[in-house]
Amino acid sequence: MNTEYNMKQSAAERAAGYVQSGMKVGLGTGSTAYYAILKIGEMVRAGLDIQAVATSRASEELAVQQGIPLTPVRDIDRLDLTIDGADELDGMLRLIKGGGGALLREKMTAYRSDKLIIIADETKEVPVLGAFPLPVEIIPFAYEWTVQSLKELGCSVQIRRDREGAVYETDNGNYIADCSFGRISEPEELAAGLTGIPGVVEHGLFLGMADQAIIGCRDGSVRIIGADSASE
């Protein structure tokens, strides 16, 4: 039986196979995207010629370590492909993202990508979103008001903290409110409600953005949902 590590690595390495020389590529953030960056770095050192944009400082640092050439965002209009992970995904490729704290940059990058490939292990697949608390990036000013507005949508809220117990700050200097809604049966409706709250910068519901998901399975296979669906 494959471990979580192996499942993530299998999915990530399959996704990296879609990267071709000449592409402009978005590099995601998180434990599964980590393996994709490692594989792409290996490919670059073997001669792959790409331009890349990272979705977080952590991914940027890893890319530099791996020798992946990073291009300033201002010099790139669109990306050919972004490879990123997810905290949850359903059968319609609706996602919860933001467990790694990079949801705003991840969503901006996905929006400017011609194709978004999601990589995950099979434990991230769910019939209904919501078991994973939904991350919402909020501004620090009057964040207590924003938290109250979030609670009025029907969730409990925890302001994310770092390992030392201080309030966690995103790469953009904002806070993350982790919102526990339970079953999110109408994610589109919830997304609209979240967007309407002043103080909310962005939420971790990625709806209608993913083109394909590559799932690493316990039995060693890799399953693909969406375009070019196949398994091995």
Side-chain angles (χ1 to χ4, degrees), residues 36-178:
I37 295 173
L38 292 185
K39 182 61 177 179
I40 293 169
E42 178 184 317
M43 294 162 65
V44 166
R45 295 190 296 275
L48 180 73
D49 181 19
I50 62 170
Q51 294 175 277
V53 170
T55 56
S56 66
R57 291 174 186 165
S59 291
E60 182 178 305
E61 291 171 3
L62 181 61
V64 169
Q65 292 170 9
Q66 294 299 309
I68 300 173
L70 296 176
T71 301
V73 172
R74 64 178 177 272
D75 295 335
I76 292 183
D77 180 50
R78 287 198 64 82
L79 298 167
D80 297 292
L81 171 67
T82 289
I83 299 173
D84 206 349
D87 298 299
E88 282 188 347
L89 71 155
D90 69 10
M92 297 175 64
L93 291 181
R94 297 179 295 191
L95 319 171
I96 286 181
K97 289 176 52 55
L103 65 97
L104 174 59
R105 297 189 185 191
E106 288 173 335
K107 189 172 281 191
M108 292 175 69
T109 302
Y111 184 76
R112 299 299 297 180
S113 300
D114 292 336
K115 184 172 185 177
L116 172 62
I117 295 179
I118 295 299
I119 50 178
D121 65 78
E122 66 176 19
T123 66
K124 303 299 174 61
E125 282 190 275
V126 296
V128 180
L129 299 176
F132 190 91
L134 176 66
V136 179
E137 185 160 345
I138 64 177
I139 66 169
F141 172 76
Y143 77 90
E144 297 90 348
W145 289 353
T146 307
V147 166
Q148 184 58 40
S149 296
L150 290 169
K151 289 180 178 178
E152 290 167 2
L153 292 180
C155 65
S156 61
V157 181
Q158 291 288 331
I159 294 296
R160 189 176 299 182
R161 296 185 176 274
D162 60 24
R163 293 178 180 177
E164 285 70 45
V167 174
Y168 172 87
E169 290 192 7
T170 70
D171 287 347
N172 314 301
N174 296 316
Y175 297 166
I176 295 286
D178 289 308

Side-chain angles (χ1 to χ4, degrees), residues 14 23 27 37 43 47 71 98 142 194 213-214:
R14 169 65 77 87
M23 279 188 169
L27 305 175
I37 295 173
M43 294 162 65
T71 301
L194 292 166
I214 301 179

